[in-house]
Amino acid sequence: MAMPQGRTTDGFETQLGINHLGHWALTTRLLPALVRTRDARVVTVTSGAQHTGRPLDPGDPFLLRDYDPWRAYGNSKLANRHFAQGLDRQFQETGLSVRALTAHPGLTNSDIQSTTVTAGGGGGLGRFFLALTRRIGMDTERGALSPLRAATDPRAVGGALYGPRWGMAGAPVRRRLIRPGADRAIRLLWQVSWQLTGLDIDVARVAARTASTRRP
C-alpha cells in the first residue's frame, strides 16, 4: 500500500504487480480446477482506496510519466474490483456455478499501515492512517469477516462487493457498487493484463477444453 516507485522481479510496477497481476496469473493457472468445481469461489480483496483509482491506461499502466504512491495503490485496488466483476460475468455467461466476488476489510489494525510509513511512500497521509488505525481500527479478526463472508456465505452474490456496514468498520454486509463505467474499465483491464503477462483469462475456452477431456 502506497509503496515508493519500484519494480517486481518480472519488471512490473510494484503495487499493480503484487496487488493485481500476480493474482491474474494465479487465476489463469487455477481456471481448469475452478471450472470443474461446483460452487467454487474466487474472492479478491480490494480497499476503500478503489474510489480514488482510475481504469488502467494501456499506454502507461505503471504511471511512469507521473508516479504517485497513493494513486498507484488506488488504481491497483480498483483493478481488484473490476477483475472480480469481469471474471464473474464470464462464469455466468458460461453457465457455471463458480462465482467471483470482491471484499474489503475496512480500517483494520494490521501491519499494512506501519509498513507503508516505514517504506516512506505514504507521506503525511500514511502517518495519518497509521495513527487513525491504531486509535479506532478493527482488530484483524473482525477485519477478516468481510472476505470470509464473501468466501463462505451461501447467499453471497457473484460480482458483488462485501465490506463493513459503516464503510470502515462494522459487520460484513453487501455494499453497493456505485461507480459507473465498469464495462470499459473491465475491457481495459483484460487488455492490459493480457499484454503485460502474456496470459489470457477466457473462461468459456477453458470450460470447453475441460469438457472435451472428460469425454470417453
Side-chain angles (χ1 to χ4, degrees):
M1 181 176 75
M3 290 291 98
Q5 190 171 22
R7 293 295 183 102
T8 69
T9 55
D10 294 303
F12 306 139
E13 185 275 317
T14 304
Q15 297 186 88
L16 187 65
I18 292 173
N19 294 346
H20 166 64
L21 293 172
H23 300 149
W24 172 278
L26 175 62
T27 304
T28 64
R29 306 304 193 198
L30 293 176
L31 269 183
L34 288 169
V35 301
R36 290 194 302 265
T37 306
R38 183 172 179 80
D39 298 327
R41 295 190 190 184
V42 179
V43 178
T44 307
V45 179
T46 184
S47 160
Q50 61 160 308
H51 299 296
T52 69
R54 296 291 181 270
L56 296 184
D57 177 0
D60 188 20
F62 300 151
L63 304 180
L64 298 179
R65 291 192 292 267
D66 186 22
Y67 184 82
D68 175 82
W70 284 105
R71 183 182 168 204
Y73 179 64
N75 286 2
S76 73
K77 293 288 99 179
L78 183 60
N80 290 153
R81 169 181 157 178
H82 287 147
F83 173 64
Q85 287 179 270
L87 184 60
D88 192 71
R89 288 180 184 180
Q90 289 198 26
F91 288 142
Q92 292 191 48
E93 290 168 358
T94 313
L96 297 170
S97 64
V98 189
R99 291 292 175 261
L101 308 91
T102 323
H104 81 86
L107 196 62
T108 300
N109 191 11
S110 65
D111 63 354
I112 189 170
Q113 288 83 11
S114 59
T115 300
T116 297
V117 171
T118 302
L125 193 58
R127 293 189 294 274
F128 167 77
F129 278 120
L130 176 60
L132 184 67
T133 304
R134 286 177 171 174
R135 185 175 181 83
I136 66 171
M138 298 184 293
D139 59 37
T140 53
E141 287 77 11
R142 290 191 62 81
L145 291 180
S146 293
L148 185 62
R149 180 174 181 183
T152 63
D153 184 350
R155 297 168 297 177
V157 179
L161 167 67
Y162 288 82
R165 183 183 299 277
W166 311 117
M168 291 292 102
V173 298
R174 182 179 175 183
R175 307 286 301 176
R176 291 181 60 197
L177 294 173
I178 58 176
R179 187 175 181 134
D183 292 345
R184 176 178 177 274
I186 290 169
R187 288 195 299 271
L188 288 174
L189 183 68
W190 251 249
Q191 175 188 342
V192 170
S193 302
W194 188 3
Q195 288 175 344
L196 291 174
T197 66
L199 301 169
D200 186 23
I201 291 182
D202 186 332
V203 172
R205 184 178 63 209
V206 173
R209 184 186 305 143
T210 302
S212 68
T213 61
R214 292 178 179 174
R215 294 170 187 162

